[in-house]
Amino acid sequence: MSGDVFTSEIIKDSLVALGDEMFNAMVRTSMSPIIYETTDFAVGATDARGNLLAQGNGVTAFLATLDTAVQSTLQHYPNPGDIRPGDVFITNSPYEGGGTHLSDVVIVLPVFFGEELVAFTVNKAHWTEVGGTKPGSVSTEATEIFQEGLHFRFLKLYEEGRQNSSLVRLIRDNVRLPESTIGDMHAGVAAARVGAKRILELMEKYGRDEVLTAMEELLDYGDRMTRVELQKLPNGVYEAEDVVEDDGLGNGPFKIRVKVTITDDKMITDFTGTDPQVPGPINCSYTGLVTGARCLFKAVTNTEIPANGGCFRALEVICPDKTLISAQSPAPVSLYYEPLIAAIDVMWKALAPVVPDRLPAGHQRSVGATFISGIHPDSGELFVMGEPLVGGWGASDGMDGDNGQFCCANGETFNIPVELFETRYGLQIDQYAFNMEGGGAGQYRGGKGVVLDYRVTSEEAFLTYAASRTESRPWGMVGGREGTNNYAQILRHDGRVERYGMCTTVRAEKGEVIRLVTANGGGYGDPDARDRRAVERDLKNGYITPEQAHADYNVKV
């Protein structure tokens, strides 16, 4: 078929749409709530060189993990014939392309048109179990990667259509939840095959050359439109630093520093000066850092363009090796998301004063990832619950902060519904309310975090919890006040209340309460300038107490 602009646009839209179709296939076929309810995964497609064409996202923090996974696969299989039709690769290597932590498993499927490699489809999903020393494959106490679970380095899960049965058996025999783990593996393969089928249908309908040309045009479009937005940003050099409090082993705090340079055609983010990688598991690899930088870069350029590799050609990420956000083997990384979010936040902090229309004040800055395990009181089987937490976002010029939203790295993720939660796990939800601790006062108020109470209904349950912003607080802007802290508590039978910023498999007995508290966001502007009607509305809606109205806004009730 001869090329024309209309055909090209149809192909490009179809490539973007296949990400949504892969996403839906993953939701329909997975077996773990963290995938089909929380949507802790991402799917997409790349060209034959590993340039991202389209991505269907649950988790924003996977924005640099699909294309880099393909690029590393090509490095591992560089020779002609190494990659064949019917091959499917599996990897969770933290220190190479696609890497975050071992729980995030990538499926890579090469797409062949005849004998020619024309594209890849890929997905990355959080498996509830990949082995390791602790249920859920997450520990705040790990000191090396080998304690965190099974490590797949770009292995062939399928070779020319034949499943690697020995590898599948190895996985099954080394995880605590073999049925759901293997089910999630098959879901990843199914989603990748859906995307591959759509690419081949496009080539059969419109021709190979037409589709490959549309792929290049899609990338160029992302580049061109992003640079238009980049030119609207004020040129200059902007710096900020912040801390991650703890590595899980009692060490810290650790500094993350950035220098952002904006020119007419490039944004350079230089993280030189960040502290070295640490003994505990809050290390993050360079891939994670790149995804963090991409998140913030997208937020201040053109958020309407579906993400593709062209959108990030104007972004350069610099960081020395072996820092907290460029860690290398055998550094433990199961809590990688906390320094990754801190890297996003420190860029955010540097740029917010110059683009206040696009970036609010500081938010809860933590996944607040919570893992609770035990023996279900009805079935007598092991349960492992893993879930991120919502918190308060910062206020901005003209608007109060959002209440009860996931952090910047979580993106379009969701809570596990209460009904499903209480059925699947030996826990009962006693309370789900906004955090009334105060903080975040300003002309525009910071958003509210939450208080979430899990009452243990099994004979015992074990809490693993990790957060940052446990001592430092979400930052305010233009005179707005800081927010509050993230933390977990266990309310004991004898009245004692234990508080944790990080912990691993802390035991709670039947009837005791595990309480999770997330931060309120930072405020914007002088609190004295807040409209009295807004204060009265907050009182009516239960967002602030009369005492807070008086102390923060000099409004007496």
Side-chain angles (χ1 to χ4, degrees), residues 415-436:
N415 296 113
I416 299 173
V418 172
E419 296 83 359
L420 174 63
F421 188 100
E422 293 186 338
T423 301
R424 292 286 296 262
Y425 311 119
L427 302 162
Q428 176 180 308
I429 296 179
D430 278 5
Q431 175 184 205
Y432 200 6
F434 285 129
N435 181 354
M436 295 298 293

Side-chain angles (χ1 to χ4, degrees), residues 10 127 160 169 211 239 256 278 366 395 452 534:
I10 291 170
W127 290 6
E160 297 188 77
R169 190 161 56 249
V211 174
E239 300 185 52
I256 294 181
V278 300
S366 181
L452 178 55

Side-chain angles (χ1 to χ4, degrees), residues 239-242 255-259 270-274 346:
E239 300 185 52
E241 65 178 59
D242 214 320
K255 178 176 61 184
I256 294 181
R257 175 180 291 176
V258 73
K259 179 171 71 174
D270 186 347
F271 290 87
T272 301
T274 296
V346 77

Side-chain angles (χ1 to χ4, degrees), residues 377 422 425-428 455-460 510-512:
E422 293 186 338
Y425 311 119
L427 302 162
Q428 176 180 308
R455 184 174 299 276
V456 178
T457 57
S458 56
E459 289 304 313
E460 59 182 2
K510 185 175 183 177
E512 293 184 326

Side-chain angles (χ1 to χ4, degrees), residues 213-455:
T213 298
M215 289 179 179
E216 290 296 329
E217 291 176 352
L218 184 62
L219 295 169
D220 290 342
Y221 175 77
D223 180 30
R224 185 169 65 254
M225 297 303 292
T226 299
R227 290 181 190 275
V228 168
E229 293 299 318
L230 184 59
Q231 290 173 3
K232 297 177 183 179
L233 302 179
N235 288 359
V237 178
Y238 310 101
E239 300 185 52
E241 65 178 59
D242 214 320
V243 298
V244 176
E245 290 90 338
D246 191 354
D247 70 345
L249 302 177
N251 305 305
F254 305 102
K255 178 176 61 184
I256 294 181
R257 175 180 291 176
V258 73
K259 179 171 71 174
V260 182
T261 303
I262 299 177
T263 68
D264 285 339
D265 62 356
K266 183 172 284 192
M267 179 184 289
I268 303 167
T269 59
D270 186 347
F271 290 87
T272 301
T274 296
D275 281 347
Q277 64 188 52
V278 300
I282 62 159
N283 297 291
C284 176
S285 71
Y286 180 76
T287 296
L289 172 61
V290 172
T291 207
R294 284 187 178 185
C295 289
L296 211 287
F297 181 72
K298 200 83 172 73
V300 298
T301 53
N302 194 324
T303 58
E304 299 300 317
I305 304 172
N308 66 56
C311 297
F312 306 110
R313 289 174 180 170
L315 174 66
E316 182 178 349
V317 182
I318 299 170
C319 189
D321 292 338
K322 295 187 177 182
T323 74
L324 183 65
I325 45 179
S326 59
Q328 296 183 355
S329 182
V333 294
S334 62
L335 307 179
Y336 81 95
Y337 37 80
E338 295 300 331
L340 183 154
I341 300 166
I344 297 174
D345 189 73
V346 77
M347 281 183 66
W348 180 345
K349 190 176 182 180
L351 294 177
V354 296
V355 284
D357 58 321
R358 303 197 183 197
L359 296 174
H363 73 324
Q364 79 267 29
R365 207 202 72 179
S366 181
V367 171
T370 304
F371 297 86
I372 304 176
S373 61
I375 302 301
H376 198 287
D378 297 330
S379 67
E381 296 181 352
L382 174 72
F383 70 85
V384 180
M385 185 283 293
E387 186 176 38
L389 301 175
V390 297
W393 276 61
S396 56
D397 188 6
M399 186 178 298
D400 289 344
D402 283 346
N403 304 314
Q405 296 294 322
F406 288 105
C407 74
C408 58
N410 278 113
E412 297 297 323
T413 50
F414 302 90
N415 296 113
I416 299 173
V418 172
E419 296 83 359
L420 174 63
F421 188 100
E422 293 186 338
T423 301
R424 292 286 296 262
Y425 311 119
L427 302 162
Q428 176 180 308
I429 296 179
D430 278 5
Q431 175 184 205
Y432 200 6
F434 285 129
N435 181 354
M436 295 298 293
E437 291 180 344
Q443 182 179 2
Y444 300 98
R445 172 185 51 75
K448 308 300 287 185
V450 300
V451 180
L452 178 55
D453 285 0
Y454 296 141
R455 184 174 299 276

